[in-house]
Structure formats: structure tokens, C-alpha cells
Amino acid sequence: MKKKSITIEDVAKKAGISKSTVSQYLNKRYEYMSQGTREKIEQIIHELNFHPNESARNLKNKKTTLVGIVVANIRHAFSTEMIRIIENALEEQDIYVIICNSDDNPEKEEHHIRALLSRKVDALIIFPTETNATIYQQVVEEEITVVFIDRIVEGLCVDTILLDNHTAASLAVSKLVTGGHRKIAMFTLPTKSAISPRIERIEGYKASLNACGIPFKTDFLYSGELHTLQTGLTKMFQLKEKPNALIAGNDLVLREILHFLKVQKLTIPTDVAVIGIDDVSYADIYQPSLTTIAQPTEKMGLKVAEIILNRLESKKKKEAGVYRFVPELKQRDSS
């Protein structure tokens, strides 16, 4: 037999007080009761192991304390760290988070967004996948607080947090050129969907090569699905003129590059220098340690939380902004 749930009525009956007084306590309206009553309710809630029905309370109060986060791919170290920072910052303000992973699948992303809207969340934080313009527009039209992370969606006026990707790629190229490298190749995930960080990092790579007086070679740029990167690397290293330095467009690409170089028994940085855009947890302990271009994830995550809190608290509509953060070169041994 299923155990009967403890209710507000049970708490009120044992305390010898009204349900409304218990409700005031649960809503932290302590000015409506004495200190003794407050302590008594707290003790009985503990004794009965009572957990309030948040959904019912939210429905009654016509508000929610939920924020939905829809992440494009939770495998990215950047995404995981950002979620941790945002969640901690919001929970400090009694705002709770539901996290959904889209696996870079626009259909799955739309499903998650619609599910969160049905839960009447106050705000959405989205790492956009591709071009789900219709559902994004619906969120905006319903005047739900929304923040995009890492990717700009053209045509929508939405608060957006992302890296200065041009500078990130430029830092990588400049570091390699300073080290004497001129045959610099870059690998990224697919660009067919015009995902802004990938496009911008490639643009920064090309511009920085030009600024350093190095001609851009199409053979030294490869963009493809993760499972094709080993083939792309193999073909590039079969060229008559091979690269002597590699830039990984993100952390997942970096892992593929390291795997390839290990299998081919190419030494870093003697045979090939390597720089990854996005810092990784193993950068310091890998041999040799890995030079990376780090995103300031803590600053970015706290900015997302700040925007959400300000939007939820303010009754005045404020114009959305795009906030770009400066990357940092983490100089180690691989370059």
C-alpha cells in the first residue's frame, strides 16, 4: 500500500494552528506569526518529514521558481562548467534549475523547450543548436525571459553571452607564429549550420594569418563531424607540405587531434605544435601540458545569472544586449 503523503493539514493539526498560518510560514511571511509559532512549525515539519508541493504552491501564487536550461551538447567542458556556475548562482536566490541536453539535435531541442514552456518556467537559458527560429520566436513573443549562450541567433533581440571568438583564434595564431610556426592548420566541427562560434573562429584564424603575412591555404582548414576528423587529419598529414602546428576549434576537436598524434607517434611540440580553443581539465596533467585559449566561464556564468535575476525582478522592459568576453591565453608546453 502506498504511504499517505503528509499535507499542510497534517502539519496544522499537529501544531494546533490554522492551515493559513502554515502556508504563511512556507512562503516565508514570518511577520504574520510569533517566533514561538515559527519554531513550532519548523519542528513539526521536521518530525513529519513534510515536503511542500511546489507545483501546487506555484500554481496558487501564479508564479514559478524554475528556470530551464537547454544545452546544445553537455559533453563540452565549457557547457558543463557554465551550467554549474549558473545553477549555483540561481539556487542561492531560491531559483531552481531544470537542465535538458539536446545532443546538437534541433528537434530534440524544440521538444525540450516546449516541455519547459508547459511547466510555466519563468525563464529559459538556451545554448542554441541551429535554426529553430520558430520556437525561439515563440519564446520571445510570449515575453519569457531568455538568454542565449555561445551562439548568436540572427533576427532575434535576445540577451546573448559569448566569447570574443575572433580574438580567441587570433591569440592562437599569434602564439604559434611567435614560436616560429607558419604552416598552421585549423580543425573545427561542421560549419554548414552557420553556428557562430565556429564561423567566427575560422574568420579570426584567416584574418590573423593575413595580419602575420601568411597566405591562407584551403588544405589547412578542415571542418567536419567529430567522427570524420581522424580521416581529415590523415589526409592533411599526407600532403606534400604538412602543417607543423594545429589549432583545435574546441575541446572535443582537441581530443581527436591528440588521439591522432599519439597513434601516428608524432611528438608535441617537436613535430607538431598544438593549441586548443577552450580550456580542458586535463591541460595541466597531459604530457606535454597543453596550451589553450580559455573562456572566462565564471564571469560569463555569473553574467547570465545576473541578467536572469534582473529581468525577473524588473517590471520595465529593457533592450537586450550581446555580451562578448575576452579570452585568455593559457601558456603551457604544447606550443
Side-chain angles (χ1 to χ4, degrees), residues 37-91:
T37 299
R38 178 177 170 181
E39 291 174 356
K40 187 175 185 180
I41 295 172
E42 184 178 357
Q43 179 184 345
I44 291 171
I45 284 175
H46 179 73
E47 289 176 1
L48 297 179
N49 194 25
F50 169 67
H51 300 286
N53 186 327
E54 293 292 340
S55 297
R57 288 173 63 200
N58 291 334
L59 183 61
K60 184 176 179 180
N61 294 332
K62 295 183 180 179
K63 71 176 209 176
T64 177
T65 52
L66 288 177
V67 169
I69 299 181
V70 184
V71 58
N73 191 333
I74 206 164
R75 292 174 63 196
H76 288 291
F78 167 73
S79 300
T80 305
E81 184 64 10
M82 283 285 285
I83 290 170
R84 183 189 68 81
I85 293 165
I86 294 166
E87 183 180 26
N88 288 344
L90 292 179
E91 286 193 350

Tab-separated table of all heavy atoms in Angstrom, residues 37-91:
chain	number	residue	atom	x	y	z
A	37	THR	N	5.634	30.352	17.378
A	37	THR	CA	4.857	29.617	16.369
A	37	THR	C	5.750	29.169	15.226
A	37	THR	O	5.645	28.035	14.737
A	37	THR	CB	3.715	30.504	15.831
A	37	THR	OG1	2.848	30.852	16.907
A	37	THR	CG2	2.925	29.776	14.754
A	38	ARG	N	6.631	30.047	14.819
A	38	ARG	CA	7.551	29.725	13.725
A	38	ARG	C	8.421	28.527	14.096
A	38	ARG	O	8.595	27.599	13.291
A	38	ARG	CB	8.416	30.945	13.423
A	38	ARG	CG	9.452	30.739	12.341
A	38	ARG	CD	10.211	32.044	12.082
A	38	ARG	NE	11.366	31.824	11.224
A	38	ARG	CZ	12.209	32.766	10.860
A	38	ARG	NH1	12.032	34.014	11.282
A	38	ARG	NH2	13.234	32.499	10.070
A	39	GLU	N	8.959	28.518	15.293
A	39	GLU	CA	9.822	27.421	15.730
A	39	GLU	C	9.039	26.120	15.852
A	39	GLU	O	9.543	25.037	15.543
A	39	GLU	CB	10.476	27.780	17.062
A	39	GLU	CG	11.508	28.907	16.928
A	39	GLU	CD	12.046	29.363	18.270
A	39	GLU	OE1	11.561	28.851	19.312
A	39	GLU	OE2	12.946	30.238	18.291
A	40	LYS	N	7.769	26.245	16.290
A	40	LYS	CA	6.922	25.063	16.445
A	40	LYS	C	6.630	24.426	15.086
A	40	LYS	O	6.698	23.202	14.926
A	40	LYS	CB	5.618	25.460	17.138
A	40	LYS	CG	4.732	24.273	17.512
A	40	LYS	CD	3.522	24.758	18.298
A	40	LYS	CE	2.688	23.574	18.780
A	40	LYS	NZ	1.497	24.038	19.542
A	41	ILE	N	6.308	25.250	14.107
A	41	ILE	CA	6.031	24.738	12.761
A	41	ILE	C	7.273	24.062	12.195
A	41	ILE	O	7.200	22.976	11.611
A	41	ILE	CB	5.564	25.877	11.831
A	41	ILE	CG1	4.228	26.443	12.298
A	41	ILE	CG2	5.459	25.384	10.392
A	41	ILE	CD1	3.794	27.682	11.552
A	42	GLU	N	8.407	24.705	12.376
A	42	GLU	CA	9.661	24.150	11.871
A	42	GLU	C	9.942	22.774	12.465
A	42	GLU	O	10.348	21.841	11.763
A	42	GLU	CB	10.804	25.107	12.180
A	42	GLU	CG	12.153	24.668	11.617
A	42	GLU	CD	13.262	25.668	11.899
A	42	GLU	OE1	12.976	26.736	12.494
A	42	GLU	OE2	14.406	25.390	11.527
A	43	GLN	N	9.691	22.640	13.764
A	43	GLN	CA	9.935	21.372	14.455
A	43	GLN	C	9.003	20.272	13.939
A	43	GLN	O	9.441	19.154	13.666
A	43	GLN	CB	9.731	21.561	15.960
A	43	GLN	CG	9.935	20.276	16.763
A	43	GLN	CD	9.638	20.474	18.240
A	43	GLN	OE1	9.540	21.608	18.717
A	43	GLN	NE2	9.481	19.377	18.967
A	44	ILE	N	7.736	20.603	13.757
A	44	ILE	CA	6.764	19.603	13.312
A	44	ILE	C	7.017	19.192	11.863
A	44	ILE	O	6.872	18.023	11.501
A	44	ILE	CB	5.327	20.139	13.499
A	44	ILE	CG1	5.024	20.237	15.007
A	44	ILE	CG2	4.304	19.269	12.792
A	44	ILE	CD1	3.750	20.927	15.344
A	45	ILE	N	7.385	20.151	11.027
A	45	ILE	CA	7.733	19.825	9.633
A	45	ILE	C	8.880	18.821	9.612
A	45	ILE	O	8.869	17.865	8.826
A	45	ILE	CB	8.112	21.106	8.857
A	45	ILE	CG1	6.840	21.901	8.519
A	45	ILE	CG2	8.896	20.780	7.593
A	45	ILE	CD1	7.110	23.234	7.860
A	46	HIS	N	9.841	19.021	10.498
A	46	HIS	CA	10.974	18.107	10.584
A	46	HIS	C	10.525	16.737	11.093
A	46	HIS	O	10.922	15.699	10.549
A	46	HIS	CB	12.049	18.688	11.493
A	46	HIS	CG	13.242	17.796	11.659
A	46	HIS	ND1	14.171	17.600	10.658
A	46	HIS	CD2	13.653	17.032	12.718
A	46	HIS	CE1	15.097	16.754	11.079
A	46	HIS	NE2	14.803	16.399	12.324
A	47	GLU	N	9.686	16.718	12.097
A	47	GLU	CA	9.216	15.456	12.678
A	47	GLU	C	8.404	14.634	11.674
A	47	GLU	O	8.534	13.408	11.604
A	47	GLU	CB	8.354	15.736	13.918
A	47	GLU	CG	9.138	16.243	15.119
A	47	GLU	CD	8.221	16.592	16.292
A	47	GLU	OE1	6.991	16.419	16.152
A	47	GLU	OE2	8.742	17.039	17.335
A	48	LEU	N	7.553	15.319	10.926
A	48	LEU	CA	6.682	14.623	9.974
A	48	LEU	C	7.355	14.374	8.631
A	48	LEU	O	6.783	13.708	7.770
A	48	LEU	CB	5.401	15.437	9.752
A	48	LEU	CG	4.496	15.632	10.976
A	48	LEU	CD1	3.290	16.482	10.604
A	48	LEU	CD2	4.039	14.278	11.526
A	49	ASN	N	8.556	14.937	8.461
A	49	ASN	CA	9.262	14.841	7.181
A	49	ASN	C	8.372	15.362	6.052
A	49	ASN	O	8.209	14.734	5.002
A	49	ASN	CB	9.682	13.394	6.908
A	49	ASN	CG	10.703	13.290	5.780
A	49	ASN	OD1	11.437	14.235	5.508
A	49	ASN	ND2	10.732	12.146	5.108
A	50	PHE	N	7.831	16.546	6.278
A	50	PHE	CA	6.892	17.157	5.334
A	50	PHE	C	7.646	17.902	4.235
A	50	PHE	O	8.564	18.669	4.501
A	50	PHE	CB	5.977	18.137	6.075
A	50	PHE	CG	5.147	19.003	5.166
A	50	PHE	CD1	4.154	18.460	4.383
A	50	PHE	CD2	5.381	20.370	5.102
A	50	PHE	CE1	3.383	19.257	3.550
A	50	PHE	CE2	4.621	21.178	4.274
A	50	PHE	CZ	3.623	20.615	3.492
A	51	HIS	N	7.240	17.666	2.976
A	51	HIS	CA	7.805	18.374	1.831
A	51	HIS	C	6.668	19.063	1.089
A	51	HIS	O	5.762	18.386	0.582
A	51	HIS	CB	8.528	17.417	0.878
A	51	HIS	CG	9.666	16.690	1.525
A	51	HIS	ND1	10.870	17.299	1.819
A	51	HIS	CD2	9.772	15.407	1.967
A	51	HIS	CE1	11.674	16.427	2.394
A	51	HIS	NE2	11.032	15.278	2.496
A	52	PRO	N	6.677	20.389	1.033
A	52	PRO	CA	5.580	21.098	0.362
A	52	PRO	C	5.514	20.786	-1.123
A	52	PRO	O	6.538	20.542	-1.761
A	52	PRO	CB	5.906	22.582	0.596
A	52	PRO	CG	7.365	22.617	0.869
A	52	PRO	CD	7.687	21.321	1.565
A	53	ASN	N	4.321	20.777	-1.659
A	53	ASN	CA	4.089	20.563	-3.085
A	53	ASN	C	4.378	21.862	-3.817
A	53	ASN	O	3.554	22.762	-3.871
A	53	ASN	CB	2.634	20.126	-3.313
A	53	ASN	CG	2.377	19.751	-4.760
A	53	ASN	OD1	2.977	20.329	-5.667
A	53	ASN	ND2	1.483	18.798	-4.974
A	54	GLU	N	5.587	21.936	-4.391
A	54	GLU	CA	5.994	23.182	-5.040
A	54	GLU	C	5.097	23.525	-6.227
A	54	GLU	O	4.781	24.679	-6.468
A	54	GLU	CB	7.450	23.074	-5.509
A	54	GLU	CG	8.464	22.977	-4.383
A	54	GLU	CD	8.574	24.249	-3.565
A	54	GLU	OE1	8.164	25.308	-4.075
A	54	GLU	OE2	9.028	24.191	-2.425
A	55	SER	N	4.673	22.501	-6.977
A	55	SER	CA	3.839	22.782	-8.142
A	55	SER	C	2.522	23.410	-7.735
A	55	SER	O	2.038	24.367	-8.343
A	55	SER	CB	3.570	21.484	-8.914
A	55	SER	OG	4.767	20.953	-9.413
A	56	ALA	N	1.919	22.877	-6.660
A	56	ALA	CA	0.654	23.437	-6.183
A	56	ALA	C	0.845	24.849	-5.657
A	56	ALA	O	0.028	25.742	-5.908
A	56	ALA	CB	0.075	22.536	-5.088
A	57	ARG	N	1.937	25.072	-4.924
A	57	ARG	CA	2.192	26.416	-4.393
A	57	ARG	C	2.406	27.406	-5.525
A	57	ARG	O	1.894	28.523	-5.508
A	57	ARG	CB	3.442	26.394	-3.496
A	57	ARG	CG	3.236	25.699	-2.164
A	57	ARG	CD	4.553	25.565	-1.431
A	57	ARG	NE	5.113	26.858	-1.112
A	57	ARG	CZ	6.393	27.055	-0.825
A	57	ARG	NH1	7.226	26.059	-0.847
A	57	ARG	NH2	6.828	28.262	-0.520
A	58	ASN	N	3.160	26.993	-6.520
A	58	ASN	CA	3.422	27.891	-7.641
A	58	ASN	C	2.156	28.221	-8.404
A	58	ASN	O	1.949	29.343	-8.846
A	58	ASN	CB	4.439	27.258	-8.603
A	58	ASN	CG	5.829	27.183	-7.989
A	58	ASN	OD1	6.154	27.975	-7.115
A	58	ASN	ND2	6.626	26.241	-8.444
A	59	LEU	N	1.272	27.203	-8.578
A	59	LEU	CA	0.018	27.430	-9.283
A	59	LEU	C	-0.845	28.415	-8.511
A	59	LEU	O	-1.430	29.342	-9.076
A	59	LEU	CB	-0.718	26.100	-9.460
A	59	LEU	CG	-2.019	26.145	-10.249
A	59	LEU	CD1	-1.751	26.633	-11.666
A	59	LEU	CD2	-2.680	24.772	-10.276
A	60	LYS	N	-0.905	28.245	-7.206
A	60	LYS	CA	-1.716	29.125	-6.372
A	60	LYS	C	-1.167	30.549	-6.403
A	60	LYS	O	-1.918	31.527	-6.455
A	60	LYS	CB	-1.728	28.601	-4.932
A	60	LYS	CG	-2.624	29.412	-3.998
A	60	LYS	CD	-2.663	28.782	-2.621
A	60	LYS	CE	-3.553	29.606	-1.679
A	60	LYS	NZ	-3.613	29.016	-0.331
A	61	ASN	N	0.141	30.674	-6.360
A	61	ASN	CA	0.753	32.006	-6.343
A	61	ASN	C	0.918	32.598	-7.742
A	61	ASN	O	1.373	33.719	-7.898
A	61	ASN	CB	2.145	31.933	-5.688
A	61	ASN	CG	2.066	31.564	-4.230
A	61	ASN	OD1	1.079	31.850	-3.573
A	61	ASN	ND2	3.090	30.895	-3.734
A	62	LYS	N	0.537	31.796	-8.752
A	62	LYS	CA	0.633	32.226	-10.146
A	62	LYS	C	2.069	32.634	-10.515
A	62	LYS	O	2.313	33.591	-11.205
A	62	LYS	CB	-0.337	33.375	-10.431
A	62	LYS	CG	-1.787	32.967	-10.293
A	62	LYS	CD	-2.719	34.105	-10.646
A	62	LYS	CE	-4.160	33.677	-10.496
A	62	LYS	NZ	-5.106	34.756	-10.815
A	63	LYS	N	3.011	31.871	-9.983
A	63	LYS	CA	4.402	32.110	-10.359
A	63	LYS	C	5.210	30.844	-10.131
A	63	LYS	O	4.749	29.894	-9.516
A	63	LYS	CB	4.995	33.266	-9.565
A	63	LYS	CG	5.253	32.961	-8.103
A	63	LYS	CD	5.923	34.156	-7.456
A	63	LYS	CE	6.804	33.721	-6.314
A	63	LYS	NZ	7.546	34.834	-5.727
A	64	THR	N	6.379	30.818	-10.681
A	64	THR	CA	7.226	29.647	-10.541
A	64	THR	C	8.628	30.091	-10.145
A	64	THR	O	8.996	31.242	-10.334
A	64	THR	CB	7.278	28.847	-11.850
A	64	THR	OG1	8.175	27.764	-11.673
A	64	THR	CG2	7.760	29.698	-13.004
A	65	THR	N	9.365	29.162	-9.586
A	65	THR	CA	10.749	29.464	-9.240
A	65	THR	C	11.686	28.583	-10.070
A	65	THR	O	12.740	28.196	-9.621
A	65	THR	CB	10.995	29.224	-7.735
A	65	THR	OG1	10.550	27.900	-7.392
A	65	THR	CG2	10.247	30.232	-6.909
A	66	LEU	N	11.244	28.271	-11.274
A	66	LEU	CA	12.019	27.391	-12.145
A	66	LEU	C	12.611	28.140	-13.327
A	66	LEU	O	11.958	28.988	-13.926
A	66	LEU	CB	11.131	26.264	-12.686
A	66	LEU	CG	10.697	25.173	-11.704
A	66	LEU	CD1	9.766	24.208	-12.416
A	66	LEU	CD2	11.895	24.438	-11.146
A	67	VAL	N	13.844	27.796	-13.645
A	67	VAL	CA	14.496	28.278	-14.857
A	67	VAL	C	14.959	27.053	-15.632
A	67	VAL	O	15.586	26.151	-15.077
A	67	VAL	CB	15.700	29.188	-14.537
A	67	VAL	CG1	16.513	29.461	-15.791
A	67	VAL	CG2	15.232	30.496	-13.919
A	68	GLY	N	14.622	27.006	-16.909
A	68	GLY	CA	15.044	25.886	-17.746
A	68	GLY	C	16.329	26.195	-18.483
A	68	GLY	O	16.496	27.300	-19.010
A	69	ILE	N	17.257	25.240	-18.496
A	69	ILE	CA	18.485	25.370	-19.280
A	69	ILE	C	18.471	24.280	-20.351
A	69	ILE	O	18.367	23.094	-20.044
A	69	ILE	CB	19.750	25.221	-18.419
A	69	ILE	CG1	19.799	26.301	-17.340
A	69	ILE	CG2	20.997	25.275	-19.291
A	69	ILE	CD1	21.044	26.246	-16.458
A	70	VAL	N	18.553	24.703	-21.609
A	70	VAL	CA	18.605	23.759	-22.721
A	70	VAL	C	19.985	23.869	-23.353
A	70	VAL	O	20.315	24.873	-23.983
A	70	VAL	CB	17.513	24.054	-23.765
A	70	VAL	CG1	17.536	22.990	-24.861
A	70	VAL	CG2	16.133	24.090	-23.101
A	71	VAL	N	20.802	22.847	-23.149
A	71	VAL	CA	22.192	22.887	-23.611
A	71	VAL	C	22.323	22.097	-24.907
A	71	VAL	O	21.737	21.022	-25.058
A	71	VAL	CB	23.148	22.342	-22.519
A	71	VAL	CG1	22.795	20.925	-22.132
A	71	VAL	CG2	24.595	22.404	-22.985
A	72	ALA	N	23.070	22.649	-25.862
A	72	ALA	CA	23.218	22.001	-27.169
A	72	ALA	C	23.938	20.660	-27.044
A	72	ALA	O	23.531	19.659	-27.633
A	72	ALA	CB	23.957	22.920	-28.137
A	73	ASN	N	25.028	20.633	-26.283
A	73	ASN	CA	25.787	19.397	-26.113
A	73	ASN	C	26.517	19.449	-24.780
A	73	ASN	O	27.496	20.178	-24.623
A	73	ASN	CB	26.794	19.212	-27.257
A	73	ASN	CG	27.414	17.817	-27.265
A	73	ASN	OD1	27.521	17.164	-26.227
A	73	ASN	ND2	27.816	17.348	-28.433
A	74	ILE	N	26.042	18.662	-23.840
A	74	ILE	CA	26.575	18.722	-22.476
A	74	ILE	C	27.964	18.095	-22.386
A	74	ILE	O	28.626	18.178	-21.341
A	74	ILE	CB	25.592	18.036	-21.500
A	74	ILE	CG1	25.752	18.614	-20.089
A	74	ILE	CG2	25.753	16.524	-21.522
A	74	ILE	CD1	24.599	18.304	-19.166
A	75	ARG	N	28.441	17.480	-23.476
A	75	ARG	CA	29.787	16.902	-23.473
A	75	ARG	C	30.870	17.973	-23.471
A	75	ARG	O	32.009	17.705	-23.085
A	75	ARG	CB	29.975	16.002	-24.695
A	75	ARG	CG	29.142	14.731	-24.685
A	75	ARG	CD	29.284	13.995	-26.002
A	75	ARG	NE	30.661	13.563	-26.230
A	75	ARG	CZ	31.130	13.181	-27.412
A	75	ARG	NH1	30.342	13.209	-28.467
A	75	ARG	NH2	32.382	12.800	-27.537
A	76	HIS	N	30.540	19.175	-23.916
A	76	HIS	CA	31.536	20.243	-23.946
A	76	HIS	C	31.875	20.685	-22.522
A	76	HIS	O	30.981	20.963	-21.719
A	76	HIS	CB	31.019	21.443	-24.732
A	76	HIS	CG	30.947	21.214	-26.210
A	76	HIS	ND1	32.071	21.090	-26.998
A	76	HIS	CD2	29.887	21.083	-27.036
A	76	HIS	CE1	31.701	20.886	-28.252
A	76	HIS	NE2	30.386	20.874	-28.299
A	77	ALA	N	33.159	20.775	-22.227
A	77	ALA	CA	33.593	21.211	-20.897
A	77	ALA	C	33.064	22.607	-20.586
A	77	ALA	O	32.666	22.891	-19.445
A	77	ALA	CB	35.122	21.194	-20.826
A	78	PHE	N	33.049	23.471	-21.586
A	78	PHE	CA	32.542	24.836	-21.403
A	78	PHE	C	31.080	24.816	-20.961
A	78	PHE	O	30.695	25.504	-20.019
A	78	PHE	CB	32.686	25.619	-22.711
A	78	PHE	CG	31.922	26.917	-22.737
A	78	PHE	CD1	32.361	28.010	-22.005
A	78	PHE	CD2	30.761	27.033	-23.484
A	78	PHE	CE1	31.645	29.211	-22.027
A	78	PHE	CE2	30.044	28.213	-23.519
A	78	PHE	CZ	30.488	29.308	-22.782
A	79	SER	N	30.263	23.998	-21.625
A	79	SER	CA	28.835	23.935	-21.293
A	79	SER	C	28.619	23.427	-19.875
A	79	SER	O	27.829	23.993	-19.109
A	79	SER	CB	28.107	23.025	-22.289
A	79	SER	OG	28.240	23.501	-23.609
A	80	THR	N	29.321	22.371	-19.520
A	80	THR	CA	29.166	21.787	-18.181
A	80	THR	C	29.546	22.779	-17.089
A	80	THR	O	28.842	22.921	-16.083
A	80	THR	CB	30.037	20.521	-18.056
A	80	THR	OG1	29.707	19.622	-19.104
A	80	THR	CG2	29.810	19.843	-16.720
A	81	GLU	N	30.663	23.463	-17.279
A	81	GLU	CA	31.122	24.424	-16.279
A	81	GLU	C	30.174	25.612	-16.182
A	81	GLU	O	29.870	26.106	-15.083
A	81	GLU	CB	32.530	24.893	-16.621
A	81	GLU	CG	33.164	25.835	-15.597
A	81	GLU	CD	33.385	25.202	-14.231
A	81	GLU	OE1	33.234	23.967	-14.105
A	81	GLU	OE2	33.694	25.946	-13.293
A	82	MET	N	29.684	26.095	-17.321
A	82	MET	CA	28.737	27.209	-17.315
A	82	MET	C	27.465	26.841	-16.562
A	82	MET	O	26.959	27.627	-15.746
A	82	MET	CB	28.398	27.615	-18.755
A	82	MET	CG	29.474	28.433	-19.430
A	82	MET	SD	29.517	30.148	-18.842
A	82	MET	CE	28.089	30.826	-19.671
A	83	ILE	N	26.946	25.656	-16.801
A	83	ILE	CA	25.726	25.205	-16.125
A	83	ILE	C	25.940	25.161	-14.626
A	83	ILE	O	25.083	25.584	-13.843
A	83	ILE	CB	25.293	23.831	-16.665
A	83	ILE	CG1	24.778	23.975	-18.103
A	83	ILE	CG2	24.204	23.224	-15.788
A	83	ILE	CD1	24.564	22.651	-18.803
A	84	ARG	N	27.091	24.638	-14.206
A	84	ARG	CA	27.378	24.551	-12.765
A	84	ARG	C	27.369	25.938	-12.118
A	84	ARG	O	26.773	26.136	-11.062
A	84	ARG	CB	28.740	23.879	-12.548
A	84	ARG	CG	29.104	23.662	-11.079
A	84	ARG	CD	30.543	23.198	-10.931
A	84	ARG	NE	31.492	24.229	-11.305
A	84	ARG	CZ	31.861	25.239	-10.506
A	84	ARG	NH1	31.331	25.365	-9.289
A	84	ARG	NH2	32.734	26.132	-10.911
A	85	ILE	N	28.017	26.898	-12.766
A	85	ILE	CA	28.102	28.253	-12.213
A	85	ILE	C	26.726	28.912	-12.174
A	85	ILE	O	26.340	29.522	-11.168
A	85	ILE	CB	29.093	29.096	-13.056
A	85	ILE	CG1	30.516	28.558	-12.891
A	85	ILE	CG2	29.030	30.575	-12.644
A	85	ILE	CD1	31.487	29.070	-13.934
A	86	ILE	N	25.981	28.796	-13.255
A	86	ILE	CA	24.646	29.405	-13.328
A	86	ILE	C	23.719	28.787	-12.293
A	86	ILE	O	23.003	29.494	-11.569
A	86	ILE	CB	24.057	29.234	-14.743
A	86	ILE	CG1	24.868	30.032	-15.764
A	86	ILE	CG2	22.592	29.678	-14.776
A	86	ILE	CD1	24.566	29.655	-17.205
A	87	GLU	N	23.724	27.464	-12.215
A	87	GLU	CA	22.843	26.773	-11.273
A	87	GLU	C	23.135	27.196	-9.836
A	87	GLU	O	22.222	27.492	-9.061
A	87	GLU	CB	23.002	25.258	-11.421
A	87	GLU	CG	22.071	24.463	-10.516
A	87	GLU	CD	22.243	22.968	-10.694
A	87	GLU	OE1	23.345	22.539	-11.104
A	87	GLU	OE2	21.284	22.239	-10.415
A	88	ASN	N	24.409	27.244	-9.468
A	88	ASN	CA	24.769	27.649	-8.110
A	88	ASN	C	24.313	29.069	-7.810
A	88	ASN	O	23.778	29.357	-6.726
A	88	ASN	CB	26.282	27.542	-7.906
A	88	ASN	CG	26.758	26.108	-7.821
A	88	ASN	OD1	25.957	25.195	-7.625
A	88	ASN	ND2	28.052	25.889	-7.990
A	89	ALA	N	24.522	29.977	-8.767
A	89	ALA	CA	24.152	31.381	-8.553
A	89	ALA	C	22.643	31.551	-8.413
A	89	ALA	O	22.165	32.329	-7.573
A	89	ALA	CB	24.671	32.235	-9.709
A	90	LEU	N	21.873	30.836	-9.216
A	90	LEU	CA	20.415	30.961	-9.154
A	90	LEU	C	19.845	30.289	-7.905
A	90	LEU	O	18.899	30.802	-7.290
A	90	LEU	CB	19.778	30.367	-10.412
A	90	LEU	CG	20.042	31.126	-11.719
A	90	LEU	CD1	19.371	30.425	-12.891
A	90	LEU	CD2	19.570	32.577	-11.628
A	91	GLU	N	20.405	29.152	-7.527
A	91	GLU	CA	19.890	28.464	-6.343
A	91	GLU	C	20.133	29.264	-5.069
A	91	GLU	O	19.385	29.139	-4.101
A	91	GLU	CB	20.500	27.063	-6.239
A	91	GLU	CG	19.908	26.097	-7.251
A	91	GLU	CD	20.255	24.652	-6.956
A	91	GLU	OE1	21.119	24.408	-6.079
A	91	GLU	OE2	19.661	23.772	-7.600
